[in-house]
Amino acid sequence: MRPTLSWTPSGVPAPVTTELDEVARVVGERGVVVLSGAGLSTESGIPDYRGAGGTLRRHSPMTYQEFVGSEEGRRRYWARSHLGWATVARARPNAGHHAVAALRAGGYLSGIITQNVDGLHQRAGASAVAELHGSLARVVCLSCRRTSARHELDRRLRQANPSFRAEATKLNPDGDVDLAEHVVREFRLVPCAACGSGVLKPDVVFFGENVPRPLVRRCYELIEEASAVLVLGSSLTVLSGLRFVRRAAEQGKPVLIVNQGETRGDSHARLRVELPLGQALTEVAGRLGCA
């Protein structure tokens, strides 16, 4: 299974604007759920998949089937991700993340659902974030199911590969980097430290893998309880996020999108704001006294 890069627009598209009056008004009524995507983190130096310069145009990310079915695939992933993790770990929340956290602290947001795996919402101080696709900061054993911190695996991988030297170039949203095959072949994997033999996987949802059902139910509950949905920096190409927009629209709840570029959810939205997210969200937070 390979990720979807594009879609055929259907339905009547949302009006496109650069004005934030309606966003500020709807958020000001409180009870809004944010659904964020990779576009929110690009200002922190983490690229997106499907934007104008999206990495899917040059890079095929790891799939679940390849990871569990091939030791070579796992070696390739961990060698590249081991190098890319340092960049992700150093990334800092941008103005958009801080504005979302301020709106949450101010009581304007009833929940945050993120498709991002970088943890930047939490580093900005946002609470109770539903990580739809998991987190790169955690690792899970596919045998004993124990989870552990990524920094601990990073330490073990450095010990197992003392001569590993490579330059991180072209970081991808899933935390790996482009790396020559001859470098990958020399990389040594390590087993789970708890059970001694299990295969370790980042605690993220790969392409071709399902989001855990309890988490999906919780996200639907957030949508059920919400007064409106605010989409931030997501093309909504994949069903994992689009389904929540569809559910909100079916219930007659306003859907507002702030994204630079058309999204698959535009036909369900009241409007789409075409502005950089840091600028737009900082202005909305300022209008509501949360700056």
Side-chain angles (χ1 to χ4, degrees), residues 254-282:
V255 174
L256 307 177
I257 300 174
V258 184
N259 190 69
Q260 292 187 285
E262 184 181 27
T263 85
R264 197 175 180 181
D266 281 8
S267 62
H268 302 293
R270 179 174 293 183
L271 57 81
R272 177 168 58 83
V273 178
E274 185 93 18
L275 283 175
L277 280 157
Q279 169 192 337
L281 293 170
T282 299

Side-chain angles (χ1 to χ4, degrees), residues 194-216:
C195 67
S197 61
V199 169
L200 294 175
K201 174 184 173 292
D203 195 14
V204 301
V205 177
F206 282 140
F207 286 98
E209 186 177 7
N210 293 323
V211 177
R213 289 185 179 180
L215 180 55
V216 173

Side-chain angles (χ1 to χ4, degrees), residues 160-219:
N161 298 275
S163 61
F164 181 71
R165 299 288 185 273
E167 292 252 345
T169 59
K170 297 181 180 177
L171 178 71
N172 299 306
D174 53 0
D176 75 357
V177 298
D178 292 346
L179 200 58
E181 283 299 316
H182 73 273
V183 178
V184 169
R185 284 195 296 269
E186 302 300 319
F187 195 79
R188 293 183 60 195
L189 301 176
V190 296
C192 173
C195 67
S197 61
V199 169
L200 294 175
K201 174 184 173 292
D203 195 14
V204 301
V205 177
F206 282 140
F207 286 98
E209 186 177 7
N210 293 323
V211 177
R213 289 185 179 180
L215 180 55
V216 173
R217 286 196 298 270
R218 175 57 187 146
C219 291

Side-chain angles (χ1 to χ4, degrees), residues 49-69:
Y49 280 119
R50 298 179 177 83
T55 64
L56 284 184
R57 301 178 190 277
R58 59 171 173 79
H59 163 74
S60 293
M62 177 60 63
T63 66
Y64 180 74
Q65 292 75 13
E66 183 181 1
F67 188 88
V68 299

Side-chain angles (χ1 to χ4, degrees), residues 9-48:
S10 62
V12 179
V16 179
T17 182
T18 57
E19 300 297 324
L20 290 164
D21 294 349
E22 182 68 0
V23 175
R25 186 191 69 77
V26 170
V27 174
E29 293 178 352
R30 302 180 183 267
V32 175
V33 166
V34 156
L35 172 60
S36 68
L40 186 61
S41 292
T42 56
E43 293 176 40
S44 294
I46 298 176
D48 64 6

